Amino acid sequence: MEVAITSELLTGFSARFDENQVAQVAMNAAVKNGISAAATDYAGARRMRYDFSLQLEAGEVTDQKRSGRCWMFAALNTMRLEVMQKLNLKTMELSQSYPLFYDKLEKANYFLESILSTLDEPLSGRLVSHLLSAPVQDGGQWDMFAGLVRKYGVVPKDAMPESFSSSATAELNRYLTLKLRGFACTLREAHGAGAPLGELRGMKEEMLYTIYHMLCVALGKPPETFVYETRDKDNKFLRIGPITPQDFYREYVGWELSDYVSVINAPTADKPYGRSYTVTYLGSAVDGAPVRYLNLPVEGLKRLAIAQMQDGHAVWFGCDVGQWLNRTTGAMDLDGFALENLFSTRFPMTKAQRLDYGESLMTHAMVFTGVNLTEDGVPDRWRVENSWGAKSGEKGVYIMSDDWFSQFTYQVVVHKKYLSQEELFAYESEPIPLPPWDPMGALAWMR
């Protein structure tokens, strides 16, 4: 039987609160200053120091502005370090607008193909509803980015600079989504009227051109070749090109993208460690490799990230950035806010429980560019290159406690050479498919 809130119950609550002097102090502090400010730990700045025993050279901090392109920024910020080293540059930036264009186009095609493959699924079913929820959002995963780079290469930022709509994607996404949902309606209704699949595919090609046209108008037309001009650390003038984006990637980044693997920490009962996983209906390019993860205990992610940085290479990673984050100092620290003292209650959920109950998932991708190791070789804090500009953290660089890593970091991307033979075998085994709405696909579905 349901029980309502009564006036007697509220009277009792009020009396209990009034009798608690600590609660009065907490209320006054939080009402005046806000919850986070009232709970900020005084000693945090001394504990979370921006000095690291292992620190990589990185370029200037980037800014994704009002867009959800963190996964692209993080990937390009790791790749640009290769360009900087090969060309002896102090800093440089790869264009984030260039892969955005092709990501939107490829996602539109992937969405339309998904609609064609689900024509007989009920419109009100969970799968089609999920596909229609965000046909062309900004988010993405490492494997999706790798597929874009294999196909289209990369370009320096001045070859395709930021535009209004690349820096603030909501308006573009709104109109692309409007068209794609309309296209889905057209295809499903034509199928219902008996149109053969060949006719529907002909319709789809014209639909895809409409999306291409809209992207050119909003973002500009991507370059097929370009000339890159800059000066190196010694003030020597460099001119490269004309060169294609694919050749620029091969010559000045040069990674074999199939050598880089995604390792996750998902300690839920449905995902045993030491197994490979994929997420159905998650991708961008139809002809790209599917998303694939190896699930390991969190200490495995730390070991692999440290090994790659010790060899001089930054690490792309995904996490739930909004948890226990001080956006002013850039500190991700479980002890950074004394919220349990402020509210006189505990927050005891485990990492697995937070995933299972929708309290946490991957929301943001960044780059590890350093770590502080104790004399015993144990990490206690991590250096993080973010893509939110230079106004927060230490000029845009954030800091993460090792305990925070354990609780809210979910994915790292590393070269497969750092995996043990057993781990590599598990990664290359047939992946277990996860449903499209699984939390491990969340970074790619954020809007």
Side-chain angles (χ1 to χ4, degrees), residues 45 48-52 55 59-62 325-332 369 382-386 388-399:
M48 299 290 283
R49 298 184 302 277
Y50 278 92
D51 296 296
F52 305 87
Q55 182 171 320
E60 294 177 359
V61 169
T62 56
L325 166 68
N326 187 323
R327 290 193 65 141
T328 300
T329 65
M332 293 167 278
T369 57
W382 299 73
R383 187 178 193 269
V384 176
E385 180 181 344
N386 202 355
W388 289 349
K391 293 184 178 180
S392 60
E394 188 178 71
K395 298 181 180 178
V397 174
Y398 281 33
I399 185 171

PDB file of all heavy atoms in Angstrom, residues 45 48-52 55 59-62 325-332 369 382-386 388-399:
ATOM      1  N   ALA A  45      44.206  21.435  -2.534  1.00  0.00           N
ATOM      2  CA  ALA A  45      45.255  22.037  -3.356  1.00  0.00           C
ATOM      3  C   ALA A  45      46.644  21.545  -2.965  1.00  0.00           C
ATOM      4  O   ALA A  45      47.529  21.427  -3.813  1.00  0.00           O
ATOM      5  CB  ALA A  45      45.186  23.561  -3.250  1.00  0.00           C
ATOM      6  N   MET A  48      46.664  17.691  -4.298  1.00  0.00           N
ATOM      7  CA  MET A  48      46.601  17.508  -5.750  1.00  0.00           C
ATOM      8  C   MET A  48      47.532  18.510  -6.430  1.00  0.00           C
ATOM      9  O   MET A  48      47.105  19.509  -7.019  1.00  0.00           O
ATOM     10  CB  MET A  48      45.152  17.678  -6.217  1.00  0.00           C
ATOM     11  CG  MET A  48      44.192  16.669  -5.609  1.00  0.00           C
ATOM     12  SD  MET A  48      44.471  14.995  -6.240  1.00  0.00           S
ATOM     13  CE  MET A  48      43.711  15.132  -7.850  1.00  0.00           C
ATOM     14  N   ARG A  49      48.813  18.239  -6.374  1.00  0.00           N
ATOM     15  CA  ARG A  49      49.821  19.146  -6.923  1.00  0.00           C
ATOM     16  C   ARG A  49      50.064  18.861  -8.406  1.00  0.00           C
ATOM     17  O   ARG A  49      50.082  17.716  -8.835  1.00  0.00           O
ATOM     18  CB  ARG A  49      51.127  19.012  -6.147  1.00  0.00           C
ATOM     19  CG  ARG A  49      51.010  19.382  -4.683  1.00  0.00           C
ATOM     20  CD  ARG A  49      52.361  19.314  -3.992  1.00  0.00           C
ATOM     21  NE  ARG A  49      52.967  17.999  -4.099  1.00  0.00           N
ATOM     22  CZ  ARG A  49      52.686  16.970  -3.303  1.00  0.00           C
ATOM     23  NH1 ARG A  49      51.794  17.118  -2.336  1.00  0.00           N
ATOM     24  NH2 ARG A  49      53.280  15.810  -3.443  1.00  0.00           N
ATOM     25  N   TYR A  50      50.288  19.932  -9.164  1.00  0.00           N
ATOM     26  CA  TYR A  50      50.537  19.805 -10.598  1.00  0.00           C
ATOM     27  C   TYR A  50      52.017  19.562 -10.891  1.00  0.00           C
ATOM     28  O   TYR A  50      52.640  20.247 -11.687  1.00  0.00           O
ATOM     29  CB  TYR A  50      50.052  21.056 -11.340  1.00  0.00           C
ATOM     30  CG  TYR A  50      48.561  21.042 -11.616  1.00  0.00           C
ATOM     31  CD1 TYR A  50      47.667  21.617 -10.725  1.00  0.00           C
ATOM     32  CD2 TYR A  50      48.064  20.445 -12.758  1.00  0.00           C
ATOM     33  CE1 TYR A  50      46.299  21.602 -10.971  1.00  0.00           C
ATOM     34  CE2 TYR A  50      46.700  20.420 -13.021  1.00  0.00           C
ATOM     35  CZ  TYR A  50      45.826  21.001 -12.126  1.00  0.00           C
ATOM     36  OH  TYR A  50      44.472  20.982 -12.379  1.00  0.00           O
ATOM     37  N   ASP A  51      52.584  18.571 -10.231  1.00  0.00           N
ATOM     38  CA  ASP A  51      53.948  18.124 -10.499  1.00  0.00           C
ATOM     39  C   ASP A  51      53.896  16.609 -10.634  1.00  0.00           C
ATOM     40  O   ASP A  51      53.236  15.924  -9.839  1.00  0.00           O
ATOM     41  CB  ASP A  51      54.893  18.515  -9.364  1.00  0.00           C
ATOM     42  CG  ASP A  51      55.014  20.020  -9.217  1.00  0.00           C
ATOM     43  OD1 ASP A  51      55.521  20.660 -10.155  1.00  0.00           O
ATOM     44  OD2 ASP A  51      54.587  20.539  -8.165  1.00  0.00           O
ATOM     45  N   PHE A  52      54.609  16.077 -11.632  1.00  0.00           N
ATOM     46  CA  PHE A  52      54.498  14.661 -11.946  1.00  0.00           C
ATOM     47  C   PHE A  52      55.874  14.083 -12.241  1.00  0.00           C
ATOM     48  O   PHE A  52      56.706  14.722 -12.899  1.00  0.00           O
ATOM     49  CB  PHE A  52      53.592  14.454 -13.168  1.00  0.00           C
ATOM     50  CG  PHE A  52      52.228  15.081 -13.019  1.00  0.00           C
ATOM     51  CD1 PHE A  52      52.018  16.402 -13.378  1.00  0.00           C
ATOM     52  CD2 PHE A  52      51.176  14.356 -12.495  1.00  0.00           C
ATOM     53  CE1 PHE A  52      50.777  16.997 -13.231  1.00  0.00           C
ATOM     54  CE2 PHE A  52      49.919  14.935 -12.343  1.00  0.00           C
ATOM     55  CZ  PHE A  52      49.724  16.263 -12.709  1.00  0.00           C
ATOM     56  N   GLN A  55      56.147  13.172 -17.148  1.00  0.00           N
ATOM     57  CA  GLN A  55      55.345  14.187 -17.825  1.00  0.00           C
ATOM     58  C   GLN A  55      55.799  14.314 -19.270  1.00  0.00           C
ATOM     59  O   GLN A  55      56.991  14.492 -19.544  1.00  0.00           O
ATOM     60  CB  GLN A  55      55.460  15.533 -17.111  1.00  0.00           C
ATOM     61  CG  GLN A  55      54.619  16.649 -17.720  1.00  0.00           C
ATOM     62  CD  GLN A  55      54.584  17.886 -16.861  1.00  0.00           C
ATOM     63  OE1 GLN A  55      54.497  17.813 -15.628  1.00  0.00           O
ATOM     64  NE2 GLN A  55      54.648  19.056 -17.484  1.00  0.00           N
ATOM     65  N   GLY A  59      51.285  20.000 -26.755  1.00  0.00           N
ATOM     66  CA  GLY A  59      51.059  21.292 -27.381  1.00  0.00           C
ATOM     67  C   GLY A  59      50.135  22.155 -26.552  1.00  0.00           C
ATOM     68  O   GLY A  59      49.768  21.831 -25.421  1.00  0.00           O
ATOM     69  N   GLU A  60      49.756  23.291 -27.114  1.00  0.00           N
ATOM     70  CA  GLU A  60      48.855  24.204 -26.416  1.00  0.00           C
ATOM     71  C   GLU A  60      47.487  23.550 -26.250  1.00  0.00           C
ATOM     72  O   GLU A  60      47.043  22.764 -27.081  1.00  0.00           O
ATOM     73  CB  GLU A  60      48.731  25.513 -27.200  1.00  0.00           C
ATOM     74  CG  GLU A  60      50.045  26.299 -27.255  1.00  0.00           C
ATOM     75  CD  GLU A  60      49.931  27.555 -28.096  1.00  0.00           C
ATOM     76  OE1 GLU A  60      48.833  27.794 -28.652  1.00  0.00           O
ATOM     77  OE2 GLU A  60      50.921  28.291 -28.212  1.00  0.00           O
ATOM     78  N   VAL A  61      46.806  23.907 -25.169  1.00  0.00           N
ATOM     79  CA  VAL A  61      45.495  23.334 -24.871  1.00  0.00           C
ATOM     80  C   VAL A  61      44.488  23.770 -25.935  1.00  0.00           C
ATOM     81  O   VAL A  61      44.491  24.915 -26.397  1.00  0.00           O
ATOM     82  CB  VAL A  61      45.030  23.779 -23.470  1.00  0.00           C
ATOM     83  CG1 VAL A  61      43.568  23.419 -23.239  1.00  0.00           C
ATOM     84  CG2 VAL A  61      45.905  23.132 -22.410  1.00  0.00           C
ATOM     85  N   THR A  62      43.615  22.848 -26.319  1.00  0.00           N
ATOM     86  CA  THR A  62      42.603  23.114 -27.339  1.00  0.00           C
ATOM     87  C   THR A  62      41.245  23.378 -26.683  1.00  0.00           C
ATOM     88  O   THR A  62      41.076  23.201 -25.479  1.00  0.00           O
ATOM     89  CB  THR A  62      42.496  21.932 -28.309  1.00  0.00           C
ATOM     90  OG1 THR A  62      42.219  20.737 -27.561  1.00  0.00           O
ATOM     91  CG2 THR A  62      43.804  21.750 -29.069  1.00  0.00           C
ATOM     92  N   LEU A 325      34.155  16.666  -9.684  1.00  0.00           N
ATOM     93  CA  LEU A 325      35.076  17.520 -10.439  1.00  0.00           C
ATOM     94  C   LEU A 325      34.989  18.951  -9.940  1.00  0.00           C
ATOM     95  O   LEU A 325      33.902  19.522  -9.860  1.00  0.00           O
ATOM     96  CB  LEU A 325      34.731  17.476 -11.930  1.00  0.00           C
ATOM     97  CG  LEU A 325      35.388  18.560 -12.804  1.00  0.00           C
ATOM     98  CD1 LEU A 325      36.900  18.337 -12.897  1.00  0.00           C
ATOM     99  CD2 LEU A 325      34.760  18.592 -14.192  1.00  0.00           C
ATOM    100  N   ASN A 326      36.136  19.529  -9.637  1.00  0.00           N
ATOM    101  CA  ASN A 326      36.236  20.962  -9.358  1.00  0.00           C
ATOM    102  C   ASN A 326      36.659  21.639 -10.654  1.00  0.00           C
ATOM    103  O   ASN A 326      37.820  21.580 -11.049  1.00  0.00           O
ATOM    104  CB  ASN A 326      37.262  21.218  -8.249  1.00  0.00           C
ATOM    105  CG  ASN A 326      37.276  22.671  -7.808  1.00  0.00           C
ATOM    106  OD1 ASN A 326      37.126  23.580  -8.610  1.00  0.00           O
ATOM    107  ND2 ASN A 326      37.467  22.883  -6.514  1.00  0.00           N
ATOM    108  N   ARG A 327      35.701  22.246 -11.344  1.00  0.00           N
ATOM    109  CA  ARG A 327      36.000  22.797 -12.675  1.00  0.00           C
ATOM    110  C   ARG A 327      36.912  24.013 -12.602  1.00  0.00           C
ATOM    111  O   ARG A 327      37.546  24.364 -13.591  1.00  0.00           O
ATOM    112  CB  ARG A 327      34.704  23.161 -13.399  1.00  0.00           C
ATOM    113  CG  ARG A 327      33.894  21.947 -13.813  1.00  0.00           C
ATOM    114  CD  ARG A 327      32.792  22.300 -14.776  1.00  0.00           C
ATOM    115  NE  ARG A 327      33.303  22.784 -16.057  1.00  0.00           N
ATOM    116  CZ  ARG A 327      32.766  22.482 -17.234  1.00  0.00           C
ATOM    117  NH1 ARG A 327      31.708  21.703 -17.299  1.00  0.00           N
ATOM    118  NH2 ARG A 327      33.262  22.977 -18.351  1.00  0.00           N
ATOM    119  N   THR A 328      37.010  24.654 -11.451  1.00  0.00           N
ATOM    120  CA  THR A 328      37.914  25.792 -11.322  1.00  0.00           C
ATOM    121  C   THR A 328      39.365  25.331 -11.248  1.00  0.00           C
ATOM    122  O   THR A 328      40.225  25.817 -11.985  1.00  0.00           O
ATOM    123  CB  THR A 328      37.566  26.619 -10.073  1.00  0.00           C
ATOM    124  OG1 THR A 328      36.221  27.086 -10.185  1.00  0.00           O
ATOM    125  CG2 THR A 328      38.513  27.810  -9.945  1.00  0.00           C
ATOM    126  N   THR A 329      39.642  24.381 -10.366  1.00  0.00           N
ATOM    127  CA  THR A 329      41.012  23.893 -10.205  1.00  0.00           C
ATOM    128  C   THR A 329      41.359  22.776 -11.174  1.00  0.00           C
ATOM    129  O   THR A 329      42.527  22.443 -11.342  1.00  0.00           O
ATOM    130  CB  THR A 329      41.230  23.380  -8.772  1.00  0.00           C
ATOM    131  OG1 THR A 329      40.395  22.223  -8.558  1.00  0.00           O
ATOM    132  CG2 THR A 329      40.883  24.454  -7.752  1.00  0.00           C
ATOM    133  N   GLY A 330      40.345  22.178 -11.792  1.00  0.00           N
ATOM    134  CA  GLY A 330      40.589  21.061 -12.693  1.00  0.00           C
ATOM    135  C   GLY A 330      40.872  19.755 -11.974  1.00  0.00           C
ATOM    136  O   GLY A 330      41.391  18.820 -12.579  1.00  0.00           O
ATOM    137  N   ALA A 331      40.523  19.664 -10.699  1.00  0.00           N
ATOM    138  CA  ALA A 331      40.830  18.471  -9.910  1.00  0.00           C
ATOM    139  C   ALA A 331      39.675  17.483  -9.944  1.00  0.00           C
ATOM    140  O   ALA A 331      38.533  17.840  -9.629  1.00  0.00           O
ATOM    141  CB  ALA A 331      41.144  18.855  -8.468  1.00  0.00           C
ATOM    142  N   MET A 332      39.980  16.250 -10.340  1.00  0.00           N
ATOM    143  CA  MET A 332      39.051  15.127 -10.234  1.00  0.00           C
ATOM    144  C   MET A 332      39.521  14.300  -9.053  1.00  0.00           C
ATOM    145  O   MET A 332      40.522  13.583  -9.136  1.00  0.00           O
ATOM    146  CB  MET A 332      39.060  14.316 -11.537  1.00  0.00           C
ATOM    147  CG  MET A 332      38.499  15.077 -12.724  1.00  0.00           C
ATOM    148  SD  MET A 332      38.854  14.289 -14.322  1.00  0.00           S
ATOM    149  CE  MET A 332      40.527  14.880 -14.609  1.00  0.00           C
ATOM    150  N   THR A 369      48.747  12.788 -20.151  1.00  0.00           N
ATOM    151  CA  THR A 369      50.070  13.236 -20.583  1.00  0.00           C
ATOM    152  C   THR A 369      51.086  13.173 -19.450  1.00  0.00           C
ATOM    153  O   THR A 369      52.171  13.746 -19.555  1.00  0.00           O
ATOM    154  CB  THR A 369      50.012  14.672 -21.145  1.00  0.00           C
ATOM    155  OG1 THR A 369      49.472  15.544 -20.143  1.00  0.00           O
ATOM    156  CG2 THR A 369      49.148  14.735 -22.394  1.00  0.00           C
ATOM    157  N   TRP A 382      47.322  11.695 -11.758  1.00  0.00           N
ATOM    158  CA  TRP A 382      47.490  11.627 -13.204  1.00  0.00           C
ATOM    159  C   TRP A 382      47.334  13.010 -13.822  1.00  0.00           C
ATOM    160  O   TRP A 382      46.476  13.793 -13.401  1.00  0.00           O
ATOM    161  CB  TRP A 382      46.451  10.681 -13.803  1.00  0.00           C
ATOM    162  CG  TRP A 382      46.551   9.270 -13.292  1.00  0.00           C
ATOM    163  CD1 TRP A 382      46.187   8.807 -12.059  1.00  0.00           C
ATOM    164  CD2 TRP A 382      47.075   8.145 -13.999  1.00  0.00           C
ATOM    165  NE1 TRP A 382      46.451   7.465 -11.954  1.00  0.00           N
ATOM    166  CE2 TRP A 382      46.984   7.027 -13.115  1.00  0.00           C
ATOM    167  CE3 TRP A 382      47.585   7.955 -15.274  1.00  0.00           C
ATOM    168  CZ2 TRP A 382      47.399   5.751 -13.489  1.00  0.00           C
ATOM    169  CZ3 TRP A 382      47.994   6.695 -15.657  1.00  0.00           C
ATOM    170  CH2 TRP A 382      47.906   5.596 -14.770  1.00  0.00           C
ATOM    171  N   ARG A 383      48.150  13.294 -14.823  1.00  0.00           N
ATOM    172  CA  ARG A 383      48.086  14.569 -15.547  1.00  0.00           C
ATOM    173  C   ARG A 383      47.174  14.404 -16.764  1.00  0.00           C
ATOM    174  O   ARG A 383      47.358  13.493 -17.566  1.00  0.00           O
ATOM    175  CB  ARG A 383      49.477  15.008 -15.989  1.00  0.00           C
ATOM    176  CG  ARG A 383      49.543  16.408 -16.605  1.00  0.00           C
ATOM    177  CD  ARG A 383      50.979  16.768 -16.955  1.00  0.00           C
ATOM    178  NE  ARG A 383      51.128  18.186 -17.266  1.00  0.00           N
ATOM    179  CZ  ARG A 383      51.022  18.703 -18.491  1.00  0.00           C
ATOM    180  NH1 ARG A 383      50.771  17.899 -19.524  1.00  0.00           N
ATOM    181  NH2 ARG A 383      51.179  19.995 -18.695  1.00  0.00           N
ATOM    182  N   VAL A 384      46.210  15.303 -16.915  1.00  0.00           N
ATOM    183  CA  VAL A 384      45.173  15.160 -17.928  1.00  0.00           C
ATOM    184  C   VAL A 384      45.130  16.396 -18.821  1.00  0.00           C
ATOM    185  O   VAL A 384      44.987  17.524 -18.327  1.00  0.00           O
ATOM    186  CB  VAL A 384      43.798  14.951 -17.264  1.00  0.00           C
ATOM    187  CG1 VAL A 384      42.697  14.908 -18.311  1.00  0.00           C
ATOM    188  CG2 VAL A 384      43.797  13.668 -16.431  1.00  0.00           C
ATOM    189  N   GLU A 385      45.246  16.190 -20.120  1.00  0.00           N
ATOM    190  CA  GLU A 385      45.052  17.283 -21.081  1.00  0.00           C
ATOM    191  C   GLU A 385      43.589  17.292 -21.502  1.00  0.00           C
ATOM    192  O   GLU A 385      43.108  16.345 -22.114  1.00  0.00           O
ATOM    193  CB  GLU A 385      45.945  17.096 -22.310  1.00  0.00           C
ATOM    194  CG  GLU A 385      45.779  18.208 -23.337  1.00  0.00           C
ATOM    195  CD  GLU A 385      46.629  18.020 -24.575  1.00  0.00           C
ATOM    196  OE1 GLU A 385      47.574  17.200 -24.520  1.00  0.00           O
ATOM    197  OE2 GLU A 385      46.353  18.669 -25.605  1.00  0.00           O
ATOM    198  N   ASN A 386      42.900  18.366 -21.158  1.00  0.00           N
ATOM    199  CA  ASN A 386      41.495  18.494 -21.506  1.00  0.00           C
ATOM    200  C   ASN A 386      41.343  19.339 -22.771  1.00  0.00           C
ATOM    201  O   ASN A 386      42.334  19.868 -23.296  1.00  0.00           O
ATOM    202  CB  ASN A 386      40.718  19.119 -20.336  1.00  0.00           C
ATOM    203  CG  ASN A 386      39.236  18.817 -20.392  1.00  0.00           C
ATOM    204  OD1 ASN A 386      38.731  18.208 -21.337  1.00  0.00           O
ATOM    205  ND2 ASN A 386      38.509  19.245 -19.383  1.00  0.00           N
ATOM    206  N   TRP A 388      38.825  21.936 -23.022  1.00  0.00           N
ATOM    207  CA  TRP A 388      37.842  22.944 -22.645  1.00  0.00           C
ATOM    208  C   TRP A 388      38.469  24.329 -22.550  1.00  0.00           C
ATOM    209  O   TRP A 388      37.992  25.197 -21.825  1.00  0.00           O
ATOM    210  CB  TRP A 388      37.204  22.581 -21.302  1.00  0.00           C
ATOM    211  CG  TRP A 388      36.292  21.397 -21.366  1.00  0.00           C
ATOM    212  CD1 TRP A 388      35.829  20.771 -22.482  1.00  0.00           C
ATOM    213  CD2 TRP A 388      35.707  20.707 -20.248  1.00  0.00           C
ATOM    214  NE1 TRP A 388      35.003  19.729 -22.143  1.00  0.00           N
ATOM    215  CE2 TRP A 388      34.906  19.663 -20.784  1.00  0.00           C
ATOM    216  CE3 TRP A 388      35.784  20.855 -18.865  1.00  0.00           C
ATOM    217  CZ2 TRP A 388      34.193  18.785 -19.975  1.00  0.00           C
ATOM    218  CZ3 TRP A 388      35.071  19.983 -18.063  1.00  0.00           C
ATOM    219  CH2 TRP A 388      34.274  18.955 -18.610  1.00  0.00           C
ATOM    220  N   GLY A 389      39.554  24.547 -23.271  1.00  0.00           N
ATOM    221  CA  GLY A 389      40.210  25.838 -23.228  1.00  0.00           C
ATOM    222  C   GLY A 389      41.119  25.982 -22.018  1.00  0.00           C
ATOM    223  O   GLY A 389      41.278  25.062 -21.214  1.00  0.00           O
ATOM    224  N   ALA A 390      41.730  27.170 -21.877  1.00  0.00           N
ATOM    225  CA  ALA A 390      42.774  27.377 -20.871  1.00  0.00           C
ATOM    226  C   ALA A 390      42.288  28.076 -19.608  1.00  0.00           C
ATOM    227  O   ALA A 390      43.096  28.404 -18.739  1.00  0.00           O
ATOM    228  CB  ALA A 390      43.917  28.188 -21.494  1.00  0.00           C
ATOM    229  N   LYS A 391      40.992  28.294 -19.456  1.00  0.00           N
ATOM    230  CA  LYS A 391      40.504  29.087 -18.329  1.00  0.00           C
ATOM    231  C   LYS A 391      40.288  28.285 -17.058  1.00  0.00           C
ATOM    232  O   LYS A 391      40.111  28.866 -15.984  1.00  0.00           O
ATOM    233  CB  LYS A 391      39.215  29.803 -18.729  1.00  0.00           C
ATOM    234  CG  LYS A 391      39.429  30.873 -19.792  1.00  0.00           C
ATOM    235  CD  LYS A 391      38.137  31.629 -20.095  1.00  0.00           C
ATOM    236  CE  LYS A 391      38.368  32.718 -21.129  1.00  0.00           C
ATOM    237  NZ  LYS A 391      37.119  33.460 -21.448  1.00  0.00           N
ATOM    238  N   SER A 392      40.244  26.963 -17.149  1.00  0.00           N
ATOM    239  CA  SER A 392      40.068  26.155 -15.949  1.00  0.00           C
ATOM    240  C   SER A 392      41.270  25.239 -15.776  1.00  0.00           C
ATOM    241  O   SER A 392      42.064  25.045 -16.696  1.00  0.00           O
ATOM    242  CB  SER A 392      38.782  25.326 -16.042  1.00  0.00           C
ATOM    243  OG  SER A 392      38.815  24.459 -17.158  1.00  0.00           O
ATOM    244  N   GLY A 393      41.380  24.664 -14.552  1.00  0.00           N
ATOM    245  CA  GLY A 393      42.558  23.838 -14.285  1.00  0.00           C
ATOM    246  C   GLY A 393      43.808  24.685 -14.272  1.00  0.00           C
ATOM    247  O   GLY A 393      43.786  25.886 -13.960  1.00  0.00           O
ATOM    248  N   GLU A 394      44.921  24.084 -14.615  1.00  0.00           N
ATOM    249  CA  GLU A 394      46.182  24.820 -14.757  1.00  0.00           C
ATOM    250  C   GLU A 394      46.395  25.092 -16.234  1.00  0.00           C
ATOM    251  O   GLU A 394      46.972  24.296 -16.966  1.00  0.00           O
ATOM    252  CB  GLU A 394      47.355  24.023 -14.180  1.00  0.00           C
ATOM    253  CG  GLU A 394      48.647  24.835 -14.137  1.00  0.00           C
ATOM    254  CD  GLU A 394      49.786  24.067 -13.515  1.00  0.00           C
ATOM    255  OE1 GLU A 394      50.268  23.113 -14.170  1.00  0.00           O
ATOM    256  OE2 GLU A 394      50.175  24.385 -12.386  1.00  0.00           O
ATOM    257  N   LYS A 395      45.840  26.205 -16.709  1.00  0.00           N
ATOM    258  CA  LYS A 395      45.866  26.585 -18.117  1.00  0.00           C
ATOM    259  C   LYS A 395      45.313  25.463 -18.996  1.00  0.00           C
ATOM    260  O   LYS A 395      45.849  25.158 -20.059  1.00  0.00           O
ATOM    261  CB  LYS A 395      47.286  26.966 -18.547  1.00  0.00           C
ATOM    262  CG  LYS A 395      47.859  28.168 -17.808  1.00  0.00           C
ATOM    263  CD  LYS A 395      49.252  28.519 -18.270  1.00  0.00           C
ATOM    264  CE  LYS A 395      49.793  29.726 -17.526  1.00  0.00           C
ATOM    265  NZ  LYS A 395      51.189  30.069 -17.939  1.00  0.00           N
ATOM    266  N   GLY A 396      44.213  24.864 -18.540  1.00  0.00           N
ATOM    267  CA  GLY A 396      43.543  23.831 -19.322  1.00  0.00           C
ATOM    268  C   GLY A 396      43.963  22.414 -19.015  1.00  0.00           C
ATOM    269  O   GLY A 396      43.342  21.464 -19.507  1.00  0.00           O
ATOM    270  N   VAL A 397      45.010  22.238 -18.222  1.00  0.00           N
ATOM    271  CA  VAL A 397      45.452  20.908 -17.813  1.00  0.00           C
ATOM    272  C   VAL A 397      44.754  20.544 -16.505  1.00  0.00           C
ATOM    273  O   VAL A 397      44.698  21.356 -15.573  1.00  0.00           O
ATOM    274  CB  VAL A 397      46.986  20.862 -17.647  1.00  0.00           C
ATOM    275  CG1 VAL A 397      47.429  19.512 -17.084  1.00  0.00           C
ATOM    276  CG2 VAL A 397      47.666  21.114 -18.992  1.00  0.00           C
ATOM    277  N   TYR A 398      44.226  19.326 -16.426  1.00  0.00           N
ATOM    278  CA  TYR A 398      43.514  18.859 -15.239  1.00  0.00           C
ATOM    279  C   TYR A 398      44.360  17.834 -14.492  1.00  0.00           C
ATOM    280  O   TYR A 398      45.383  17.364 -14.991  1.00  0.00           O
ATOM    281  CB  TYR A 398      42.167  18.239 -15.641  1.00  0.00           C
ATOM    282  CG  TYR A 398      41.078  19.252 -15.931  1.00  0.00           C
ATOM    283  CD1 TYR A 398      41.360  20.495 -16.481  1.00  0.00           C
ATOM    284  CD2 TYR A 398      39.745  18.954 -15.665  1.00  0.00           C
ATOM    285  CE1 TYR A 398      40.366  21.409 -16.743  1.00  0.00           C
ATOM    286  CE2 TYR A 398      38.734  19.869 -15.929  1.00  0.00           C
ATOM    287  CZ  TYR A 398      39.056  21.098 -16.468  1.00  0.00           C
ATOM    288  OH  TYR A 398      38.074  22.014 -16.725  1.00  0.00           O
ATOM    289  N   ILE A 399      43.918  17.513 -13.293  1.00  0.00           N
ATOM    290  CA  ILE A 399      44.630  16.548 -12.458  1.00  0.00           C
ATOM    291  C   ILE A 399      43.620  15.556 -11.889  1.00  0.00           C
ATOM    292  O   ILE A 399      42.506  15.928 -11.516  1.00  0.00           O
ATOM    293  CB  ILE A 399      45.412  17.265 -11.334  1.00  0.00           C
ATOM    294  CG1 ILE A 399      46.263  16.272 -10.545  1.00  0.00           C
ATOM    295  CG2 ILE A 399      44.495  18.059 -10.429  1.00  0.00           C
ATOM    296  CD1 ILE A 399      47.225  16.950  -9.562  1.00  0.00           C
TER     297      ILE A 399
END
